[in-house]
């Protein structure tokens, strides 16, 4: 009987310790963006390369391939909606951002059939907030 009690107490202690380990969580908080500035070439174009260019040499009349994406986005009118795709310093009026932020404010969320991570969404927002530079 005493052995059983010790065994059960031991199991309880182990399970409490395990639940503490789970609480530690990842070191990098989800959604964090680099605080030393966003670079279009280093941070943004790779998001397009991995998630968008399957469809966006042509879908929505929008070519997001390297070398074309920047000039097709910044201060350019959307083809399917009324407004600019990217308004520098103003993500909330940039259709590119509203198409990925889950708001469905302009038709389907992009990437169609998938989604970006919180970090990727925040990087695009931060790039626009920092002036949507071609850097
Ligand atoms: C599976 C195909 C597919 C993928 C992947 C995809 N798109 Fe699209 N996209 C479309 C289609 C189809 C349209 C046109 C219909 C619409 O506006 O929702 C479109 C439209 C858009 C528009 C509006 C263009 C305009 O001028 O009206 C934007 C902005 C856009 N996509 C951004 C993106 C971004 C950014 C990604 C990657 C994160 C992405 N898309 C991934 C299919 C796709």
């Amino acid at each position: 009987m005493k052995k059983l009690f010790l065994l059960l107490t031991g199991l309880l202690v182990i399970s409490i310790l395990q639940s503490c380990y789970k609480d530690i969580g990842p070191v990098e908080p989800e959604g964090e963006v680099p605080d030393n500035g966003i670079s279009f070439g280093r941070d943004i174009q790779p998001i397009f390369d991995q998630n968008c260019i399957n469809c966006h040499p042509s879908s929505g009349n929008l070519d997001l391939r390297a070398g074309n994406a920047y000039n097709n986005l910044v201060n350019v009118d959307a083809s399917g909606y009324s407004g600019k795709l990217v308004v520098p310093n103003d993500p909330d009026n940039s259709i590119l951002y509203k198409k990925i932020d889950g708001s469905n404010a302009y038709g389907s969320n992009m990437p169609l059939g998938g989604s970006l991570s919180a970090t990727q969404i925040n990087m695009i927002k931060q790039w626009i907030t920092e002036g949507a530079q071609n850097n």
Side-chain angles (χ1 to χ4, degrees):
M1 199 61 200
K2 199 178 171 189
K3 273 187 188 163
L4 182 63
F5 176 73
L6 284 174
L7 180 68
L8 289 176
T9 312
L11 286 175
L12 184 68
V13 169
I14 289 170
S15 69
I16 289 172
L17 286 176
Q18 275 183 339
S19 71
C20 290
Y21 277 114
K22 278 183 199 150
D23 285 344
I24 292 172
V27 178
E28 289 288 329
E30 174 65 5
E32 186 157 298
V33 299
D35 55 11
N36 57 346
I38 302 286
S39 151
F40 181 77
R42 183 195 62 209
D43 303 314
I44 305 300
Q45 185 63 51
I47 299 176
F48 297 157
D49 293 343
Q50 284 158 26
N51 302 280
C52 316
I53 62 171
N54 286 351
C55 301
H56 283 289
S58 57
S59 288
N61 289 321
L62 182 59
D63 184 349
L64 291 177
R65 290 175 295 186
N68 300 334
Y70 185 87
N71 290 331
N72 290 335
L73 286 171
V74 179
N75 292 313
V76 173
D77 287 326
S79 65
Y81 309 90
S82 140
K84 305 262 185 227
L85 289 167
V86 171
V87 179
N89 307 109
D90 194 354
D92 288 329
N93 283 311
S94 297
I95 291 172
L96 171 72
Y97 177 63
K98 301 310 287 180
K99 284 288 267 179
I100 58 157
D101 73 347
S103 65
N104 294 319
Y106 294 89
S108 308
N109 200 66
M110 295 290 145
L112 199 62
S115 60
L116 297 178
S117 72
T119 302
Q120 291 170 323
I121 294 168
N122 287 342
M123 285 211 285
I124 290 174
K125 184 179 193 182
Q126 186 67 21
W127 168 66
I128 297 173
T129 301
E130 290 175 3
Q133 294 172 61
N134 193 2
N135 56 0

